Amino acid sequence: MTSNPQPFPSNADPLTDPDWWRQAAVYQVYPRSFSDSNGDGLGDLQGVTAKVPYLSALGVDAVWLSPFYPSALADGGYDVDDYRDVDPRLGTLAHFDDMAAALHGAGIKLIVDIVPNHSSNRHAWFREALDSPRGSAARERYIFRDGTGPDGAQPPSDWQSVFGGSAWEQVPDGQWYLHLFAPEQPDFNWDNRAVKDEFLATLRFWSDRGVDGFRIDVAHALAKDLSEPLPSSALLAAEGDGTDGAHAFWDRNEVHDIYTEWRALFNEYTPPRTAVAEAWVHASRRGRYASPEGLGQAFNFDLLQADFDAARFRTVITDNLVQAAETGASSTWVLSNHDVVRHATRYGLPATPADSAKGQDGKAWVLAGGPEEQLDRAAGLRRARAATLLMLALPGSAYLYQGEELGLHEVAAIPDADRQDPAFFRNAGVEKGRDGCRVPLPWTPEEPSFGFGTGAPHLPQPEWFGPAAVSLQDADTDSTLNFYRRALELRGKRQGAEELAWVPSAASVLHFTRPGGWQSITNFGTAAVALPAGTVLHTSAPLEGGLLPPDTTVWLG
Ligand code: GLC
């Protein structure tokens, strides 16, 4: 099977090459949990700058920085008070510039997160809307409606927010505003020209500051049809399979008019600014977001949702390479991010019915798998390393989430009193939420905070973070950290055209070649398998008597 045969110019200058993103290894930094330079328990931008040598040694091509903007942290920073500033607890714009310069100096690109579906309820515009009368221009920038029932005391519709509870919140004068996520995240009205212009100005602000690309949060929710009467939740759920672009708020066709304007702005820069959509949409509609006239790339979360299963992985890979070839974008591969249970843990829990747990609402954290007492930590990590090595051999870009290079598991044992995720609070604790993958990283084995900073970390770290610390793994040639470094180094040298050819194999084995004779073989089965001739470049676990053991990937050259 051949995907888009666009050659990757391996000798191109990574800082000016317009195609740098096509096969980039992108490392997601969740800044409040990465490295704390001032001891306040929250990671910060100076902490990121201090770790640029670490990122460079890891071998990543780009960093995607989750929100670092001023925020009350009602949703981990995805509730933005001001889109053109830095949270004072994380630093200043000057610290941002220092960080960008340090990354660029190391040849690493910088992608920032843009959250356009909603602001925080502390944003100047929302405060103005609350202080302004019904029907005012200030309210028109958000989605205000009168309630239902005799005195308007009932919400305008029965819609539920993604985090649980009503999607409408009442304000003192009786009107209600829409929030698809937490009440602290009022949705913008994207029919309003002022909203459109404001985001264009924000994209220009960061592009002018040297940002190379953007990750677009909930990119599929901006356009909404809120004509009356609002449909009930039952009616929305009954209306088709999400592929007609006519749902009241998810994945409407006209959302792409917004991205056409953004693309024109991105293309004013050299190289053009890139964007990747976080769009939990039907696979057949992902290409609209990834088109070169639109954002240019869209996350493919299919691998992330697949159990560790050869047939499932094969289908996901084949389908996504076909899609990539159709759109002209390169595919994106993701196994972990800040919204889902870490892949080492997912693969160590009893399998869940494939794809059953995910909808357009992006509630991937319900992929929690089976009960924690059934977690097989060693098996989970072994499979995670095998899946990672397979992923890093695929054509397209690979997104890595901080801490996966340490083989970290999800932290399940967080006391309720320490939890922060609104998904936990708005579901009466039934969903544990996403704090377990957001615990501050361990850099050294020493407490307090395992080298994260000098103060108490904002989420408690478990004792088992000590042995997983970077300094210990650095010194251990067999560590997961050194396994990632070697994989990224080899991958960087071997990226050629975006092509993959399957090699016939047993049903429980995935074997493919890449241009230049690079091969990846993964054994998903229960018995060791023989290998073809070739030089062993890398393995996710040692070979056994020349055979590829179960739950292992090998690269041959
Ligand atoms: C995206 C983010 C998630 C956030 C949500 C609302 O899905 O990845 O962390 O809670 O959007 O902004």
Side-chain angles (χ1 to χ4, degrees):
M1 212 234 79
T2 301
S3 72
N4 183 15
Q6 169 131 359
F8 186 78
S10 54
N11 56 355
D13 175 352
L15 292 181
T16 51
D17 172 17
D19 285 331
W20 67 267
W21 51 276
R22 296 192 68 90
Q23 303 208 69
V26 185
Y27 182 91
Q28 181 188 357
V29 169
Y30 191 76
R32 293 177 176 86
S33 299
F34 188 64
S35 174
D36 173 17
S37 73
N38 63 2
D40 67 357
L42 279 182
D44 45 44
L45 300 188
Q46 283 180 291
V48 179
T49 306
K51 299 298 184 193
V52 168
Y54 172 79
L55 298 167
S56 180
L58 183 58
V60 297
D61 302 305
V63 159
W64 148 29
L65 197 63
S66 277
F68 52 86
Y69 314 105
S71 169
L73 305 184
D75 180 22
Y78 284 89
D79 46 321
V80 178
D81 297 350
D82 180 347
Y83 291 86
R84 294 179 218 151
D85 205 350
V86 174
D87 185 334
R89 291 166 294 182
L90 271 67
T92 61
L93 283 169
H95 291 139
F96 182 90
D97 293 341
D98 292 345
M99 180 193 65
L103 287 165
H104 287 155
I108 298 173
K109 299 279 189 181
L110 176 58
I111 295 171
V112 300
D113 221 308
I114 292 291
V115 188
N117 180 65
H118 43 262
S119 70
S120 84
N121 59 347
R122 307 196 318 173
H123 190 283
W125 275 10
F126 193 72
R127 286 192 271 112
E128 191 187 337
L130 291 185
D131 290 343
S132 304
R134 299 161 179 248
S136 57
R139 287 212 174 173
E140 275 303 303
R141 296 188 292 227
Y142 292 90
I143 299 170
F144 280 86
R145 290 288 182 279
D146 291 331
T148 54
D151 49 5
Q154 298 302 314
S157 73
D158 68 345
W159 299 350
Q160 296 292 292
S161 84
V162 171
F163 294 143
S166 174
W168 297 95
E169 187 79 3
Q170 197 168 26
V171 301
D173 71 10
Q175 273 208 309
W176 300 72
Y177 68 86
L178 181 70
H179 58 89
L180 290 183
F181 292 87
E184 295 86 354
Q185 295 167 298
D187 281 44
F188 279 117
N189 169 16
W190 273 91
D191 286 335
N192 187 298
R193 191 62 239 176
V195 170
K196 296 180 190 195
D197 290 342
E198 185 68 6
F199 272 90
L200 289 170
T202 291
L203 295 169
R204 196 175 288 290
F205 177 87
W206 293 110
S207 297
D208 287 346
R209 272 201 126 79
V211 156
D212 303 286
F214 300 93
R215 178 262 188 193
I216 313 303
D217 189 67
V218 209
H220 59 308
L222 277 50
K224 297 181 175 81
D225 176 7
L226 297 177
S227 43
E228 312 272 350
L230 296 177
S232 67
S233 297
L235 196 63
L236 282 178
E239 271 175 358
D241 58 0
T243 58
D244 60 0
H247 186 279
F249 43 86
W250 297 132
D251 191 25
R252 291 186 63 78
N253 289 335
E254 62 269 25
V255 77
H256 300 288
D257 298 344
I258 298 167
Y259 301 133
T260 304
E261 280 195 68
W262 290 19
R263 174 48 58 192
L265 183 150
F266 296 153
N267 287 351
E268 288 177 28
Y269 291 85
T270 307
R273 297 326 187 215
T274 66
V276 56
E278 186 221 20
W280 292 91
V281 298
H282 194 277
S284 64
R285 294 183 54 89
R286 199 179 291 142
R288 295 167 180 247
Y289 295 84
S291 89
E293 294 77 37
L295 294 174
Q297 253 197 338
F299 282 125
N300 137 34
F301 293 122
D302 301 343
L303 214 50
L304 177 155
Q305 295 175 78
D307 288 336
F308 188 78
D309 174 84
R312 188 73 201 117
F313 268 54
R314 184 191 295 267
T315 305
V316 163
I317 293 165
T318 305
D319 290 355
N320 278 287
L321 292 180
V322 168
Q323 262 190 35
E326 282 168 6
T327 59
S330 63
S331 201
T332 57
W333 307 104
V334 192
L335 290 168
S336 280
N337 65 28
H338 68 297
D339 286 332
V340 299
V341 172
R342 287 187 178 278
H343 64 288
T345 300
R346 292 201 311 271
Y347 296 150
L349 288 166
T352 50
D355 289 17
S356 62
K358 255 330 264 80
Q360 287 181 311
D361 60 10
K363 281 179 66 163
W365 59 90
V366 296
L367 286 168
E372 224 219 323
E373 47 285 8
Q374 293 179 33
L375 173 63
D376 182 338
R377 299 175 83 88
L381 179 55
R382 185 184 176 98
R383 291 180 191 133
R385 287 171 57 139
T388 297
L389 200 57
L390 184 162
M391 173 178 86
L392 291 176
L394 295 171
S397 57
Y399 285 78
L400 308 172
Y401 176 53
Q402 70 178 39
E404 69 169 84
E405 78 279 18
L406 305 178
L408 292 186
H409 275 281
E410 187 82 358
V411 180
I414 297 177
D416 288 359
D418 289 324
R419 289 203 178 265
Q420 300 175 6
D421 188 353
F424 174 78
F425 295 108
R426 289 181 65 82
N427 282 286
V430 174
E431 288 177 11
K432 275 188 183 164
R434 302 161 292 177
D435 296 315
C437 63
R438 300 175 177 182
V439 175
L441 292 191
W443 294 92
T444 63
E446 294 85 33
E447 294 189 65
S449 90
F450 302 117
F452 167 67
T454 52
H458 69 100
L459 278 169
Q461 299 158 305
E463 273 177 29
W464 52 263
F465 262 35
V470 169
S471 64
L472 296 179
Q473 296 208 30
D474 198 31
D476 172 3
T477 46
D478 293 332
S479 67
T480 299
L481 176 58
N482 281 317
F483 158 75
Y484 266 74
R485 286 175 176 160
R486 179 85 181 122
L488 288 164
E489 183 193 2
L490 287 165
R491 178 182 192 275
K493 285 189 189 138
R494 288 179 175 266
Q495 288 292 10
E498 292 167 35
E499 291 172 6
L500 172 154
W502 291 110
V503 178
S505 59
S508 58
V509 171
L510 291 192
H511 183 180
F512 56 84
T513 60
R514 294 287 311 276
W518 177 25
Q519 307 183 52
S520 176
I521 310 172
T522 304
N523 182 1
F524 290 82
T526 51
V529 297
L531 289 173
T535 308
V536 175
L537 299 172
H538 202 22
T539 60
S540 63
L543 300 183
E544 290 173 4
L547 300 177
L548 184 66
D551 297 344
T552 306
T553 295
V554 64
W555 285 356
L556 301 178

